[in-house]
């Protein structure tokens, strides 16, 4: 496999709140058109890393380059242009509560594209169907959705503009295993057809096995291991070992081997 | 840019389309217009072929527009074939073929005239509901008050003190400032108009009676409704939105007792205190203006005050205060619990809370005026 160039380059990143340092000299590359799974214990700083990359959390030190643009040095126009090229699925969904699901999906289209209302309606339905929602759900408000439906609707909104990179914060948490499987498959399909790059924070071992091309493990504020599943199984780092070779991890590993 | 996105030519009974360039979101507007134009083209053509080989970039927007084009032709009974799509885009087309627009429920449009009548009627019904909710909340608060009286150890003292700090203590500076200014203004107006009759001294009576009976308590109540009532509603509403209130309930706590009773009791206590402080500030403001503007010395002002006011005036103001606190608290808490899932409804209920509580405070003041008049106070 030829090594593709990195679309996200994180160098020497340090992030903290108050006197607490969350990320400490962290380096990470995300390559073009790959699905990167980021794992780590609760509170390891996965969400913070994601939010720092998209510019929501200020960094103390280091540099972040996304699609060749350094957000810290970019001007307002460059920033906006960059923000159009990525989509974000937040851990809590973050749907706009006073808009219906359909309006939520249309919101980025309305702001960024010059297309007719008719096409917008059709596209929003298409996106909703892609993520597995029914057209009946289109007119519901976020407070009327189940947890899993919220995730799906938020993904549809993240995909509204066909971004080049999608950031997903625990997309499959709170989904039933079948839906979670579908979700992984969907992300795979999207990545293959649209060649998008996916940065996925997850706790779901199944997703790591089926969807991710590469895995990065976050611990002690650093990436302590990265590579394929096989690399993870060989790793000597205690947390990585427990995670991938624990009861649930090895069960999946066996299944993978036998398949 | 400048690339040709779609060309067409007619070959006998066959319409041949060739696509090129970027069929992506960025060009979706242009593409849509092209696709619409081409769809109406050459009605005599029997079948259509679309050659996608020239397309450089392709995404869901392109895929959907292509799908829409083929659907339009298929619907009018003609055959449409798509050729030249790269292997990895087929999955996308498949996704789009599954999209079923018929299943989408159309939003119902209503007659605006009917709508406005309906809104009018609904407002009336809502008003009735509000009264019922108000009564319900009053009842619920009384029940939990009774429970607290029977088991005083269960009462949440810490929460109460915290609320008292926010609602009463922190409100003191602004209340003093506003009532001071109001007192000064009344005094100035009184002196200005009474001067024509040479009766400046009566302006002291005006200030004293007006402030102690009406203005002091009203201004304070309105300030508190805007300041604390709104924050009660917003707090409880946000908690309701994030299911915190449901969580309390499932843990066996009564939200009325934990959240609402301390807040309302604090208002009932805080309002008389603030009214007293406010009235004093207003009298002080009035006195200052009397000295600087009317040349009434402080000794005369004070002796005039003690002639003009009796304990009755003072009592009239102070008796009203706790009731106004009760009304503000109940309206604000009830509005908070009525918040539904959206941020918009939070805003709406906060507005409602302030408007309704100010309205009810004024109505209550009127009722008290009638009551006091009839018992000769
Ligand atoms: N805005 C903030 N202010 C202060 N501390 C924060 C803030 N956001 C996150 N933290 C802290 O940063 C640490 C990492 O949080 P983060 O949300 O990134 O965890 P996570 O790895 O995503 O965990 P999880 O898997 O549970 O979502 C935690 O200790 C958290 O308390
Ligand atoms: Mg997180």
């Amino acid at each position: 496999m030829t090594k593709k160039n990195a679309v996200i380059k994180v160098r020497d990143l340090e992030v903290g709140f108050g006197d607490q340092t969350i990320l400490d000299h962290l380096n990470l590359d995300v390559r073009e058109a790959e699905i990167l799974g980021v794992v780590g214990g609760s509170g390891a700083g996965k969400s913070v890393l994601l939010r720092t990359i998209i510019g929501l959390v200020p960094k103390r030190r280091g540099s972040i380059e996304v699609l060749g643009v350094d957000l810290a040095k970019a001007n307002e126009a460059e920033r906006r242009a960059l923000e159009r090229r990525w989509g974000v699925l937040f851990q809590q969904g973050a749907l706009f509560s006073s808009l219906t699901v359909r309006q939520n999906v249309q919101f980025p289209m309305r702001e960024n594209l010059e297309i007719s209302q008719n096409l917008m309606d059709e596209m929003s339905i298409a996106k909703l169907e892609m993520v597995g929602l029914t057209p009946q759900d289109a007119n519901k408000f976020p407070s009327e959705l189940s947890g899993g439906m919220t995730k799906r609707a938020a993904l549809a909104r993240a995909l509204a503009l066909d971004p080049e990179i999608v950031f997903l914060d625990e997309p499959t948490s709170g989904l039933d295993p079948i839906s979670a499987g579908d979700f992984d498959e969907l992300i795979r399909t999207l990545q293959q057809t649209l060649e998008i790059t996916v940065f996925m924070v997850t706790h779901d071992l199944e997703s790591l096995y089926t969807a991710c091309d590469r895995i990065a493990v976050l611990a002690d504020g650093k990436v302590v291991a990265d590579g394929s599943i096989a690399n993870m199984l060989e790793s000597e780092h205690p947390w990585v070992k427990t995670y991938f070779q624990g009861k649930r991890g090895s069960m999946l590993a066996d299944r993978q081997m036998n398949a | 840019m400048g690339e040709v996105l779609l060309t067409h030519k007619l070959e006998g009974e066959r319409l041949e389309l060739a696509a090129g360039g970027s069929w992506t979101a960025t060009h979706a507007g242009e593409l849509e217009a092209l696709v619409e134009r081409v769809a109406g083209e050459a009605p005599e053509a029997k079948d259509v072929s679309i050659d996608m080989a020239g397309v450089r970039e392709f995404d869901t927007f392109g895929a959907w527009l292509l799908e829409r084009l083929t659907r339009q032709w298929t619907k009018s009974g003609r055959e449409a074939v798509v050729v030249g799509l790269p292997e990895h885009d087929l999955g996308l087309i498949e996704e789009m073929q599954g999209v079923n627009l018929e299943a989408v429920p159309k939003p119902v449009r209503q007659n605006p005239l009917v709508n406005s009548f309906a809104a009018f009627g609904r407002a009336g019904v809502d008003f009735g509901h509000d009264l019922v909710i108000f009564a319900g909340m009053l009842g619920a608060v009384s029940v939990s008050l009774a429970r607290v009286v029977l088991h005083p150890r269960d009462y949440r003292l810490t929460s109460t003190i915290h609320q008292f700090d926010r609602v009463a203590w922190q409100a003191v500076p602004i209340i003093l400032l506003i009532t001071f200014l109001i007192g000064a203004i009344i005094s100035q107006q009184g002196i200005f108009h009474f001067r024509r009759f040479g009766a400046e001294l009566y302006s002291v009576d005006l200030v004293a009676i007006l402030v102690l009976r009406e203005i002091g308590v009203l201004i304070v109540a309105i300030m508190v409704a805007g300041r604390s009532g709104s924050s009660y509603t917003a707090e409880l509403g946000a908690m309701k939105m994030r299911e915190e209130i449901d969580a309390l309930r499932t843990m066996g706590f009564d939200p009325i007792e934990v959240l609402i009773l301390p807040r309302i009791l604090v208002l009932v206590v805080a309002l008389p205190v603030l009214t007293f402080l406010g009235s004093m500030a207003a009298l002080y403001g009035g006195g200052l203006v009397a000295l600087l503007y009317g040349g009434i010395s402080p000794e005369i002002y004070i002796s005039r005050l003690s002639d003009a006011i009796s304990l009755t005036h003072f009592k009239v103001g102070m008796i009203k205060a706790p009731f106004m606190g009760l009304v503000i608290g109940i309206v604000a808490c009830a509005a908070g619990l009525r918040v539904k899932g959206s941020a918009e409804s939070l805003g709406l209920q906060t507005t409602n809370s302030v408007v309704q509580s100010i309205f009810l405070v004024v109505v209550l003041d009127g009722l008290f005026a009638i009551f006091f008049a009839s018992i000769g106070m």
Side-chain angles (χ1 to χ4, degrees):
Chain A
M1 202 170 83
T2 54
K3 201 161 180 176
K4 293 183 174 167
N5 24 345
V7 286
I8 303 175
K9 274 189 222 159
V10 180
R11 291 287 172 271
D12 243 3
L13 180 70
E14 186 182 325
V15 179
F17 302 97
D19 51 9
Q20 187 190 12
T21 306
I22 311 287
L23 303 177
D24 187 13
H25 296 290
L26 179 140
N27 292 303
L28 180 69
D29 274 349
V30 185
R31 302 186 199 125
E32 199 176 336
E34 77 171 349
I35 303 182
L36 175 78
V38 178
V39 292
S42 277
K46 304 179 295 295
S47 302
V48 169
L49 173 62
L50 190 153
R51 295 169 69 89
T52 315
I53 294 176
I54 59 180
L56 294 177
V57 172
K59 57 179 193 279
R60 284 192 187 148
R61 203 167 297 130
S63 73
I64 298 174
E65 218 174 84
V66 182
L67 295 165
V69 184
D70 186 344
L71 266 186
K73 297 190 187 114
N75 61 28
E76 186 66 28
E78 286 168 337
R79 239 188 115 87
R80 288 182 141 250
L82 184 60
E83 280 163 353
R84 265 182 64 166
R85 295 168 68 189
W86 71 44
V88 185
L89 167 64
F90 288 96
Q91 195 163 3
Q92 317 289 349
L95 291 170
F96 302 125
S97 57
S98 49
L99 302 180
T100 62
V101 168
R102 185 209 298 235
Q103 288 166 337
N104 262 286
V105 178
Q106 287 180 4
F107 187 80
M109 299 186 196
R110 195 183 305 273
E111 297 303 310
N112 290 304
L113 304 177
E114 279 167 23
I115 57 177
S116 69
Q117 181 62 44
N118 195 8
L119 181 58
M120 248 186 307
D121 283 343
E122 292 169 358
M123 280 313 298
S124 52
I125 297 299
K127 300 270 174 186
L128 289 174
E129 293 214 344
M130 275 170 81
V131 299
L133 287 170
T134 64
Q136 278 78 21
D137 302 326
N139 293 330
K140 288 187 180 157
F141 283 95
S143 58
E144 299 163 355
L145 299 179
S146 77
M149 286 158 81
T150 307
K151 281 268 152 78
R152 288 163 189 270
L155 180 67
R157 188 181 69 181
L159 294 174
L161 294 176
D162 277 318
E164 291 163 51
I165 306 179
V166 280
F167 294 93
L168 309 174
D169 199 345
E170 302 195 16
T172 54
S173 72
L175 295 188
D176 64 274
I178 300 174
S179 303
D182 287 350
F183 217 91
D184 292 337
E185 207 170 294
L186 168 71
I187 289 168
R188 262 262 164 247
T189 313
L190 289 172
Q191 184 259 345
Q192 273 158 7
T193 52
L194 301 174
E195 302 201 316
I196 52 180
T197 310
V198 180
F199 180 105
M200 174 159 76
V201 173
T202 184
H203 285 303
D204 189 346
L205 276 164
E206 188 103 34
S207 299
L208 292 174
Y209 275 91
T210 55
C212 297
D213 298 314
R214 211 158 59 87
I215 296 165
V217 181
L218 211 61
D220 315 320
K222 292 185 177 54
V223 176
V224 293
D226 76 323
S228 64
I229 284 281
N231 297 139
M232 293 299 124
L233 292 172
E234 284 159 14
S235 170
E236 286 301 314
H237 190 278
W239 194 87
V240 183
K241 239 174 146 161
T242 332
Y243 188 82
F244 285 94
Q245 297 172 17
K247 223 185 254 156
R248 297 169 49 144
S250 41
M251 212 164 69
L252 278 166
D254 290 346
R255 218 162 68 196
Q256 185 95 346
M257 301 290 175
N258 299 337
Chain B
M1 281 292 142
E3 286 168 304
V4 184
L5 294 168
L6 191 62
T7 56
H8 61 348
K9 72 174 186 281
L10 198 60
E11 291 270 338
E13 294 199 319
R14 182 185 184 83
L15 183 65
E16 288 188 352
L17 303 179
S22 301
W23 277 53
T24 56
T26 349
H27 296 106
E30 261 172 275
L31 264 175
E32 187 189 10
L34 275 174
V35 164
E36 246 152 46
R37 184 133 35 87
V38 165
E41 200 75 35
E44 69 273 19
K46 286 249 160 52
D47 52 9
V48 189
S49 82
I50 310 167
D51 183 6
M52 301 296 290
V55 173
R56 257 188 324 106
E57 290 177 285
F58 197 59
D59 69 6
T60 46
F61 284 81
W64 170 251
L65 285 168
L66 179 63
E67 172 66 18
R68 182 154 125 184
L69 201 56
T70 55
R71 274 190 199 188
Q72 266 165 347
W73 271 309
T74 333
K75 210 164 83 187
S76 57
R78 289 175 288 183
E79 201 180 332
V81 276
V82 179
V83 293
L85 259 187
E87 192 76 31
H88 63 95
D89 286 343
L90 292 179
L92 207 53
I93 294 290
E94 235 163 74
E95 289 278 356
M96 292 302 140
Q97 278 165 350
V99 173
N100 181 8
L101 291 175
E102 260 73 69
V104 184
K106 287 267 169 298
V108 251
R109 283 250 155 76
Q110 278 145 348
N111 184 337
L113 193 69
V114 174
N115 267 352
S116 61
F117 273 115
F120 190 68
R122 212 168 292 128
V125 174
D126 282 349
F127 182 71
H129 277 272
D130 287 349
L131 285 183
V132 173
I133 290 174
F134 184 88
M137 182 63 85
L138 191 62
V141 169
S142 315
V143 169
S144 89
L145 183 64
R147 199 166 331 125
V148 164
V149 169
L150 293 180
H151 309 276
R153 286 167 150 268
D154 289 352
Y155 186 64
R156 275 151 220 288
L157 200 61
T158 327
S159 155
T160 311
I161 291 171
H162 173 67
Q163 292 297 336
F164 193 80
D165 175 56
R166 286 181 43 200
V167 167
W169 184 237
Q170 292 178 21
V172 167
I174 185 69
I175 296 250
L176 289 185
L177 179 65
I178 294 214
T179 45
F180 172 84
L181 291 176
I182 297 275
I185 292 166
I186 295 173
S187 174
Q188 185 270 338
Q189 287 293 307
I191 293 168
F192 181 79
H193 290 282
F194 284 137
R195 185 175 278 162
R196 271 189 273 170
F197 313 104
E200 286 109 311
L201 268 188
Y202 282 104
S203 72
V204 181
D205 299 52
L206 176 74
V207 171
I209 295 174
L210 210 50
V211 161
L212 290 181
R213 285 187 79 108
E214 300 291 338
I215 298 289
V217 63
L218 264 184
I219 293 288
V220 167
I222 289 171
M223 284 292 297
V224 168
R227 203 181 159 278
S228 306
S230 61
S231 83
Y232 280 10
T233 307
E235 273 167 29
L236 292 173
M239 291 181 79
K240 175 96 188 295
M241 268 164 78
R242 298 197 299 177
E243 300 177 323
E244 289 174 40
I245 292 188
D246 296 338
L248 265 180
R249 207 168 268 145
T250 55
M251 286 181 238
F253 293 103
D254 176 11
I256 305 264
E257 192 180 314
V258 177
L259 298 172
I260 293 177
L261 185 65
R263 285 181 164 78
I264 291 180
L265 285 186
V266 160
L267 275 188
V268 171
V269 177
L271 229 74
V273 176
L274 290 174
T275 301
F276 176 77
L277 293 175
S279 302
M280 293 307 117
L283 292 182
Y284 187 78
L288 207 61
V289 168
L291 173 67
L292 299 177
Y293 180 75
I296 303 172
S297 75
E299 294 79 34
I300 302 180
Y301 184 77
I302 288 174
S303 72
R304 186 75 211 160
L305 263 188
S306 58
D307 287 348
I309 54 184
S310 63
L311 200 58
T312 321
H313 294 312
F314 178 71
K315 273 196 275 186
V316 165
M318 295 306 282
I319 288 173
K320 289 192 283 194
F323 290 96
M324 293 187 173
L326 183 69
V327 165
I328 295 169
I330 286 182
V331 168
C333 293
L337 294 187
R338 253 178 311 171
V339 169
K340 302 225 172 52
S342 74
E344 194 182 345
S345 111
L346 181 61
L348 189 74
Q349 290 302 342
T350 309
T351 308
N352 270 351
S353 149
V354 175
V355 171
Q356 283 177 7
S357 50
I358 291 179
F359 172 73
L360 285 179
V361 157
V362 173
V363 168
L364 191 66
D365 193 56
L367 293 178
F368 268 116
I370 298 171
F371 172 72
F372 287 130
S374 60
I375 63 166
M377 255 176 107

